[in-house]
Amino acid sequence: IKFSRLHTKKIESDDDIINASTRRSFVTSAAILPFLVNSAANAEDAEMYAPKFVQQYEDFTPTSEGWSYKEVKKGTKGGDAANDGDRVVFDWSGYTIGYFGRPFEAKGGPQGGAFDKDLDYFRTVLGSKQMVPGVECALKGMHPGDIRQVIVPYGPLSYPPEDKEHDLVGPKPTTFSGMRALNFVLENPRVDRTLLFNVKVIRVDKNGKGGFVRGS
């Protein structure tokens, strides 16, 4: 993802907020991960996802669908909330929070280009089922500038196992190392396959606005 120098300071500020919150989530996880992994190795397959194995994150708000979230920052630009049928332009990063917090999509790469160009952001139409269901659900109701952390458990809310290249259901990691880190966890039933996504909404396009025509 590329940004201009003029906006570097602001983006770093947002990243600092996300990273600080992410690190706090990992502190508790890191202390108990060795025990969890060793216990998982001796567990029966039928017990892989019992509460004693899958970690709990008490500082996140659980939803009825099964994903959890934390509001990191509210946007100040106003604008419409994202709903089904809207095209959402967003920035993201991802971590294997249930397994040592390894990033599979991280911020802080080479900078350059125009910040207001959204070609390097991820774009999706809500309701199109072209994205991890847990993240798609989390984007609904967000406004431009909002930052939210989303915990997605393994299963129907996460990446589908048949789409190993993540071409059908995104967001797809942009690097080979990111793909490898993500797939190592998703394909390993002996570890907690819970994922953490940091998402920031850049823009919400309603039907007929911003050159967006629903269904085209």
Side-chain angles (χ1 to χ4, degrees):
I1 300 174
K2 300 179 180 179
F3 305 101
S4 69
R5 294 181 178 176
L6 292 177
H7 296 267
T8 299
K9 184 175 181 181
K10 181 178 185 301
I11 294 303
E12 288 178 347
S13 176
D14 287 344
D15 287 346
D16 289 342
I17 293 173
I18 294 176
N19 292 335
S21 183
T22 300
R23 285 195 296 271
R24 287 195 296 271
S25 298
F26 290 158
V27 169
T28 302
S29 302
I32 63 174
L33 274 170
F35 171 77
L36 289 174
V37 172
N38 291 333
S39 298
N42 298 318
E44 297 294 335
D45 288 344
E47 298 177 349
M48 280 291 101
Y49 303 104
K52 64 181 180 181
F53 176 65
V54 176
Q55 299 175 58
Q56 303 297 310
Y57 303 91
E58 296 180 357
D59 52 342
F60 282 73
T61 302
T63 66
S64 58
E65 293 95 342
W67 55 279
S68 303
Y69 70 96
K70 180 195 291 186
E71 301 289 3
V72 177
K73 179 181 178 181
K74 298 298 292 183
T76 58
K77 299 179 180 179
D80 296 323
N83 291 299
D84 278 335
D86 297 338
R87 182 175 63 184
V88 181
V89 180
F90 67 97
D91 204 358
W92 73 287
S93 59
Y95 299 83
T96 60
I97 190 174
Y99 186 67
F100 297 103
R102 294 174 178 172
F104 55 91
E105 181 72 14
K107 304 291 295 178
Q111 300 196 2
F115 173 79
D116 56 358
K117 291 182 179 179
D118 56 39
L119 298 178
D120 294 317
Y121 293 126
F122 195 91
R123 294 192 279 184
T124 189
V125 176
L126 296 185
S128 64
K129 299 182 179 180
Q130 296 179 343
M131 185 170 48
V132 169
V135 175
E136 184 172 60
C137 289
L139 286 172
K140 295 178 183 178
M142 292 183 68
H143 297 77
D146 286 358
I147 300 175
R148 181 176 282 182
Q149 289 189 306
V150 187
I151 290 179
V152 177
Y154 180 74
L157 293 174
S158 189
Y159 291 96
E162 66 275 9
D163 182 27
K164 297 186 183 300
E165 296 299 320
H166 312 299
D167 291 324
L168 301 178
V169 176
K172 178 178 180 176
T174 56
T175 65
F176 173 77
S177 60
M179 287 279 287
R180 184 171 59 182
L182 175 60
N183 288 339
F184 173 81
V185 169
L186 293 178
E187 297 172 9
N188 191 344
R190 296 292 181 179
V191 303
D192 182 348
R193 292 180 274 188
T194 304
L195 303 177
L196 171 71
F197 293 86
N198 298 316
V199 294
K200 176 182 178 179
V201 171
I202 305 299
R203 196 178 75 230
V204 177
D205 294 332
K206 297 291 183 179
N207 186 35
K209 295 182 179 181
F212 170 58
V213 178
R214 189 176 303 160
S216 62

